[in-house]
Amino acid sequence: MVKCIDDNVGKILGSLRKNGLIKKTWIVFTSDHGDLRGEHHRQNKGVPFEGSAKIAFLLYAPGKVRPGTLVHEALSCVDFMPTILPMMGFKPSGQEEGRDASLIFTAAHLSIEWNDIAFLRGTGEERGWLAAVTDRYKLVYATRDNPWLFDLKRDPDEMKNQFLNPDYRETVKTLSARLKEYGEKYR
């Protein structure tokens, strides 16, 4: 399936180049959330582990985003539209849940203060969970599980829950407060 995607994206890019449209076309490539396929003893998606929750987001925007730009800040799917529209010269309605991260994709990101917390959530009775995620930490509260805190820098495989570790008390407090604010705003 990956080869099929690669081949067909290659055909699209080839056609854009052949027709002289590549410099006039923005390309956004993202995906659905992944299946865990045994990771953390789970098969499906819809859980806050990186193998399920983390997705690719590639953006080719000639004249807007310098090739090779890497974004390390925590973003969520709801941030895509309010980020892309301003980059294209359109104003979002203001009713979007997400954040405008357009300056992060440009050289202007050095001059902004970015609140690097993304919020993720599962849906349904079996998947009721909320997560506050930064580039380093992930705090998860679930309806059917104990709270989790992962230090993604020290534990990228999410094997050690640091929620009760006193060394992480301030991180838990800060992310919990932000998660509460998010929940109150987007009930």
Side-chain angles (χ1 to χ4, degrees):
M1 291 195 67
V2 172
K3 183 178 178 348
C4 178
I5 290 171
D6 285 348
D7 291 348
N8 286 295
V9 169
K11 288 177 185 177
I12 293 168
L13 295 176
S15 180
L16 290 169
R17 284 185 186 100
K18 178 181 171 188
N19 292 297
L21 298 172
I22 194 75
K23 297 287 185 195
K24 299 176 185 176
T25 304
W26 283 30
I27 300 165
V28 177
F29 187 87
T30 188
S31 68
D32 190 11
H33 300 279
D35 287 337
L36 290 176
R37 308 308 306 151
E39 188 177 333
H40 294 282
H41 307 287
R42 298 172 187 246
Q43 289 300 318
N44 237 331
K45 59 185 176 180
V47 295
F49 290 113
E50 291 290 280
S52 174
K54 195 171 188 175
I55 61 170
F57 181 74
L58 303 169
L59 173 62
Y60 172 78
K64 290 285 184 176
V65 179
R66 191 176 66 245
T69 298
L70 293 175
V71 172
H72 297 284
E73 286 77 8
L75 297 169
S76 176
C77 292
V78 296
D79 297 324
F80 293 172
M81 184 181 61
T83 296
I84 297 297
L85 286 178
M87 292 175 72
M88 297 175 74
F90 296 101
K91 185 175 179 171
S93 71
Q95 301 300 309
E96 298 81 17
E97 181 179 324
R99 305 166 293 166
D100 176 1
S102 59
L103 294 178
I104 292 174
F105 287 85
T106 68
H109 81 281
L110 300 174
S111 64
I112 67 166
E113 188 174 317
W114 179 253
N115 187 2
D116 196 24
I117 300 176
F119 301 98
L120 311 175
R121 64 178 175 257
T123 57
E125 195 173 313
E126 290 293 318
R127 295 186 177 145
W129 55 267
L130 284 171
V133 183
T134 71
D135 65 338
R136 179 166 180 180
Y137 299 108
K138 182 186 297 177
L139 175 68
V140 180
Y141 287 102
T143 56
R144 296 185 179 223
D145 204 350
N146 293 323
W148 316 338
L149 176 72
F150 294 115
D151 183 333
L152 300 171
K153 182 177 181 183
R154 292 185 176 163
D155 178 23
D157 295 324
E158 300 171 301
M159 301 301 285
K160 185 160 177 59
N161 185 353
Q162 301 290 353
F163 186 82
L164 297 176
N165 183 334
D167 295 340
Y168 290 89
R169 186 167 291 136
E170 284 305 310
T171 301
V172 168
K173 229 167 118 175
T174 300
L175 291 178
S176 293
R178 293 303 315 277
L179 200 51
K180 182 179 182 230
E181 291 169 12
Y182 168 82
E184 288 171 350
K185 185 174 181 179
Y186 297 106
R187 291 177 192 236

PDB file of all heavy atoms in Angstrom, residues 2 14 30-31 34 45 54 56 61 67 73 108-109 111 123 128 137 149 158 167 183 187:
ATOM      1  N   VAL A   2       1.992   1.226   0.725  1.00  0.00           N
ATOM      2  CA  VAL A   2       2.890   2.385   0.734  1.00  0.00           C
ATOM      3  C   VAL A   2       3.459   2.610  -0.655  1.00  0.00           C
ATOM      4  O   VAL A   2       3.532   3.742  -1.139  1.00  0.00           O
ATOM      5  CB  VAL A   2       3.999   2.206   1.793  1.00  0.00           C
ATOM      6  CG1 VAL A   2       5.043   3.308   1.674  1.00  0.00           C
ATOM      7  CG2 VAL A   2       3.409   2.190   3.190  1.00  0.00           C
ATOM      8  N   GLY A  14       4.617  14.285 -11.209  1.00  0.00           N
ATOM      9  CA  GLY A  14       5.131  14.270 -12.583  1.00  0.00           C
ATOM     10  C   GLY A  14       4.226  15.045 -13.527  1.00  0.00           C
ATOM     11  O   GLY A  14       4.704  15.810 -14.377  1.00  0.00           O
ATOM     12  N   THR A  30      -1.143  14.221   4.198  1.00  0.00           N
ATOM     13  CA  THR A  30      -1.336  13.769   5.573  1.00  0.00           C
ATOM     14  C   THR A  30      -2.001  12.399   5.517  1.00  0.00           C
ATOM     15  O   THR A  30      -2.164  11.831   4.442  1.00  0.00           O
ATOM     16  CB  THR A  30      -2.138  14.811   6.381  1.00  0.00           C
ATOM     17  OG1 THR A  30      -2.134  14.427   7.753  1.00  0.00           O
ATOM     18  CG2 THR A  30      -3.560  14.968   5.875  1.00  0.00           C
ATOM     19  N   SER A  31      -2.349  11.867   6.662  1.00  0.00           N
ATOM     20  CA  SER A  31      -2.912  10.519   6.658  1.00  0.00           C
ATOM     21  C   SER A  31      -3.911  10.364   7.792  1.00  0.00           C
ATOM     22  O   SER A  31      -4.072  11.240   8.639  1.00  0.00           O
ATOM     23  CB  SER A  31      -1.787   9.489   6.825  1.00  0.00           C
ATOM     24  OG  SER A  31      -1.229   9.591   8.123  1.00  0.00           O
ATOM     25  N   GLY A  34      -2.831   5.684  12.564  1.00  0.00           N
ATOM     26  CA  GLY A  34      -2.351   4.341  12.280  1.00  0.00           C
ATOM     27  C   GLY A  34      -2.883   3.267  13.216  1.00  0.00           C
ATOM     28  O   GLY A  34      -3.269   3.534  14.347  1.00  0.00           O
ATOM     29  N   LYS A  45      -6.630   1.440  16.081  1.00  0.00           N
ATOM     30  CA  LYS A  45      -6.279   2.833  16.326  1.00  0.00           C
ATOM     31  C   LYS A  45      -7.274   3.434  17.315  1.00  0.00           C
ATOM     32  O   LYS A  45      -8.099   2.746  17.874  1.00  0.00           O
ATOM     33  CB  LYS A  45      -6.282   3.600  15.018  1.00  0.00           C
ATOM     34  CG  LYS A  45      -7.604   3.580  14.272  1.00  0.00           C
ATOM     35  CD  LYS A  45      -7.451   4.256  12.945  1.00  0.00           C
ATOM     36  CE  LYS A  45      -8.738   4.151  12.138  1.00  0.00           C
ATOM     37  NZ  LYS A  45      -8.600   4.803  10.861  1.00  0.00           N
ATOM     38  N   LYS A  54       0.018   9.874  16.299  1.00  0.00           N
ATOM     39  CA  LYS A  54       0.922  10.741  15.532  1.00  0.00           C
ATOM     40  C   LYS A  54       0.765  10.458  14.040  1.00  0.00           C
ATOM     41  O   LYS A  54       0.802   9.310  13.616  1.00  0.00           O
ATOM     42  CB  LYS A  54       2.369  10.487  15.964  1.00  0.00           C
ATOM     43  CG  LYS A  54       3.328  11.533  15.511  1.00  0.00           C
ATOM     44  CD  LYS A  54       4.694  11.317  16.158  1.00  0.00           C
ATOM     45  CE  LYS A  54       5.612  12.453  15.886  1.00  0.00           C
ATOM     46  NZ  LYS A  54       6.885  12.299  16.602  1.00  0.00           N
ATOM     47  N   ALA A  56       1.570  11.925   9.826  1.00  0.00           N
ATOM     48  CA  ALA A  56       2.427  12.734   8.958  1.00  0.00           C
ATOM     49  C   ALA A  56       1.679  13.971   8.474  1.00  0.00           C
ATOM     50  O   ALA A  56       0.468  13.934   8.262  1.00  0.00           O
ATOM     51  CB  ALA A  56       2.855  11.908   7.753  1.00  0.00           C
ATOM     52  N   ALA A  61       4.637  24.371  -0.304  1.00  0.00           N
ATOM     53  CA  ALA A  61       3.974  25.637  -0.596  1.00  0.00           C
ATOM     54  C   ALA A  61       5.010  26.592  -1.178  1.00  0.00           C
ATOM     55  O   ALA A  61       5.666  27.336  -0.454  1.00  0.00           O
ATOM     56  CB  ALA A  61       3.349  26.213   0.669  1.00  0.00           C
ATOM     57  N   PRO A  67      11.777  24.843   1.424  1.00  0.00           N
ATOM     58  CA  PRO A  67      11.990  23.391   1.365  1.00  0.00           C
ATOM     59  C   PRO A  67      12.936  22.934   2.484  1.00  0.00           C
ATOM     60  O   PRO A  67      13.904  23.616   2.810  1.00  0.00           O
ATOM     61  CB  PRO A  67      12.618  23.178  -0.012  1.00  0.00           C
ATOM     62  CG  PRO A  67      12.136  24.331  -0.829  1.00  0.00           C
ATOM     63  CD  PRO A  67      12.069  25.499   0.136  1.00  0.00           C
ATOM     64  N   GLU A  73       7.041  21.580  16.768  1.00  0.00           N
ATOM     65  CA  GLU A  73       5.996  21.924  17.724  1.00  0.00           C
ATOM     66  C   GLU A  73       4.845  20.930  17.640  1.00  0.00           C
ATOM     67  O   GLU A  73       4.613  20.310  16.610  1.00  0.00           O
ATOM     68  CB  GLU A  73       5.483  23.341  17.458  1.00  0.00           C
ATOM     69  CG  GLU A  73       6.434  24.433  17.884  1.00  0.00           C
ATOM     70  CD  GLU A  73       7.599  24.649  16.936  1.00  0.00           C
ATOM     71  OE1 GLU A  73       7.613  24.058  15.835  1.00  0.00           O
ATOM     72  OE2 GLU A  73       8.511  25.392  17.279  1.00  0.00           O
ATOM     73  N   ALA A 108       9.099  33.538   9.941  1.00  0.00           N
ATOM     74  CA  ALA A 108       8.574  34.407  10.995  1.00  0.00           C
ATOM     75  C   ALA A 108       8.398  33.669  12.326  1.00  0.00           C
ATOM     76  O   ALA A 108       8.165  34.297  13.343  1.00  0.00           O
ATOM     77  CB  ALA A 108       7.236  34.998  10.552  1.00  0.00           C
ATOM     78  N   HIS A 109       8.519  32.341  12.314  1.00  0.00           N
ATOM     79  CA  HIS A 109       8.270  31.584  13.555  1.00  0.00           C
ATOM     80  C   HIS A 109       9.239  31.955  14.669  1.00  0.00           C
ATOM     81  O   HIS A 109       8.942  31.765  15.834  1.00  0.00           O
ATOM     82  CB  HIS A 109       8.310  30.076  13.289  1.00  0.00           C
ATOM     83  CG  HIS A 109       9.686  29.500  13.228  1.00  0.00           C
ATOM     84  ND1 HIS A 109      10.473  29.612  12.125  1.00  0.00           N
ATOM     85  CD2 HIS A 109      10.422  28.840  14.155  1.00  0.00           C
ATOM     86  CE1 HIS A 109      11.628  29.027  12.356  1.00  0.00           C
ATOM     87  NE2 HIS A 109      11.630  28.563  13.576  1.00  0.00           N
ATOM     88  N   SER A 111       9.937  34.818  15.650  1.00  0.00           N
ATOM     89  CA  SER A 111       9.506  36.024  16.339  1.00  0.00           C
ATOM     90  C   SER A 111       8.172  35.860  17.067  1.00  0.00           C
ATOM     91  O   SER A 111       7.646  36.825  17.585  1.00  0.00           O
ATOM     92  CB  SER A 111       9.406  37.176  15.345  1.00  0.00           C
ATOM     93  OG  SER A 111       8.405  36.884  14.383  1.00  0.00           O
ATOM     94  N   THR A 123     -13.030   9.178  21.047  1.00  0.00           N
ATOM     95  CA  THR A 123     -14.482   9.295  21.096  1.00  0.00           C
ATOM     96  C   THR A 123     -15.105   7.950  21.408  1.00  0.00           C
ATOM     97  O   THR A 123     -14.507   6.901  21.195  1.00  0.00           O
ATOM     98  CB  THR A 123     -15.040   9.812  19.752  1.00  0.00           C
ATOM     99  OG1 THR A 123     -14.613   8.928  18.713  1.00  0.00           O
ATOM    100  CG2 THR A 123     -14.548  11.213  19.462  1.00  0.00           C
ATOM    101  N   GLY A 128     -12.966   6.822  25.436  1.00  0.00           N
ATOM    102  CA  GLY A 128     -13.093   8.118  26.073  1.00  0.00           C
ATOM    103  C   GLY A 128     -11.794   8.532  26.740  1.00  0.00           C
ATOM    104  O   GLY A 128     -11.460   8.045  27.813  1.00  0.00           O
ATOM    105  N   TYR A 137       6.120  16.020  26.266  1.00  0.00           N
ATOM    106  CA  TYR A 137       5.265  15.292  27.210  1.00  0.00           C
ATOM    107  C   TYR A 137       3.896  14.972  26.622  1.00  0.00           C
ATOM    108  O   TYR A 137       3.388  15.693  25.767  1.00  0.00           O
ATOM    109  CB  TYR A 137       5.049  16.121  28.486  1.00  0.00           C
ATOM    110  CG  TYR A 137       6.324  16.433  29.215  1.00  0.00           C
ATOM    111  CD1 TYR A 137       6.846  17.717  29.202  1.00  0.00           C
ATOM    112  CD2 TYR A 137       7.005  15.449  29.913  1.00  0.00           C
ATOM    113  CE1 TYR A 137       8.023  18.018  29.861  1.00  0.00           C
ATOM    114  CE2 TYR A 137       8.187  15.742  30.581  1.00  0.00           C
ATOM    115  CZ  TYR A 137       8.686  17.029  30.551  1.00  0.00           C
ATOM    116  OH  TYR A 137       9.852  17.317  31.210  1.00  0.00           O
ATOM    117  N   LEU A 149       1.341   9.804  32.104  1.00  0.00           N
ATOM    118  CA  LEU A 149       2.223  10.888  31.671  1.00  0.00           C
ATOM    119  C   LEU A 149       3.454  10.229  31.083  1.00  0.00           C
ATOM    120  O   LEU A 149       4.126   9.444  31.760  1.00  0.00           O
ATOM    121  CB  LEU A 149       2.638  11.813  32.815  1.00  0.00           C
ATOM    122  CG  LEU A 149       3.637  12.897  32.363  1.00  0.00           C
ATOM    123  CD1 LEU A 149       2.965  13.946  31.495  1.00  0.00           C
ATOM    124  CD2 LEU A 149       4.345  13.523  33.544  1.00  0.00           C
ATOM    125  N   GLU A 158       6.926   5.115  24.964  1.00  0.00           N
ATOM    126  CA  GLU A 158       5.810   5.240  25.904  1.00  0.00           C
ATOM    127  C   GLU A 158       5.621   3.985  26.756  1.00  0.00           C
ATOM    128  O   GLU A 158       4.549   3.420  26.830  1.00  0.00           O
ATOM    129  CB  GLU A 158       4.519   5.585  25.154  1.00  0.00           C
ATOM    130  CG  GLU A 158       4.615   6.876  24.389  1.00  0.00           C
ATOM    131  CD  GLU A 158       3.447   7.124  23.487  1.00  0.00           C
ATOM    132  OE1 GLU A 158       3.190   6.282  22.598  1.00  0.00           O
ATOM    133  OE2 GLU A 158       2.782   8.152  23.660  1.00  0.00           O
ATOM    134  N   ASP A 167       9.080  13.843  40.427  1.00  0.00           N
ATOM    135  CA  ASP A 167       9.897  14.694  39.559  1.00  0.00           C
ATOM    136  C   ASP A 167       9.079  15.346  38.441  1.00  0.00           C
ATOM    137  O   ASP A 167       9.521  16.318  37.831  1.00  0.00           O
ATOM    138  CB  ASP A 167      11.045  13.892  38.940  1.00  0.00           C
ATOM    139  CG  ASP A 167      12.047  13.405  39.972  1.00  0.00           C
ATOM    140  OD1 ASP A 167      12.091  13.979  41.087  1.00  0.00           O
ATOM    141  OD2 ASP A 167      12.777  12.442  39.666  1.00  0.00           O
ATOM    142  N   GLY A 183     -11.101  21.627  27.972  1.00  0.00           N
ATOM    143  CA  GLY A 183     -12.390  20.955  28.152  1.00  0.00           C
ATOM    144  C   GLY A 183     -13.525  21.918  28.414  1.00  0.00           C
ATOM    145  O   GLY A 183     -14.639  21.732  27.917  1.00  0.00           O
ATOM    146  N   ARG A 187     -16.563  22.043  25.267  1.00  0.00           N
ATOM    147  CA  ARG A 187     -17.449  21.002  25.833  1.00  0.00           C
ATOM    148  C   ARG A 187     -18.213  20.288  24.761  1.00  0.00           C
ATOM    149  O   ARG A 187     -18.712  20.748  23.854  1.00  0.00           O
ATOM    150  CB  ARG A 187     -18.442  21.605  26.799  1.00  0.00           C
ATOM    151  CG  ARG A 187     -17.796  22.088  28.040  1.00  0.00           C
ATOM    152  CD  ARG A 187     -18.826  22.740  28.925  1.00  0.00           C
ATOM    153  NE  ARG A 187     -18.120  23.436  29.972  1.00  0.00           N
ATOM    154  CZ  ARG A 187     -18.334  23.223  31.238  1.00  0.00           C
ATOM    155  NH1 ARG A 187     -19.229  22.371  31.620  1.00  0.00           N
ATOM    156  NH2 ARG A 187     -17.657  23.882  32.146  1.00  0.00           N
TER     157      ARG A 187
END
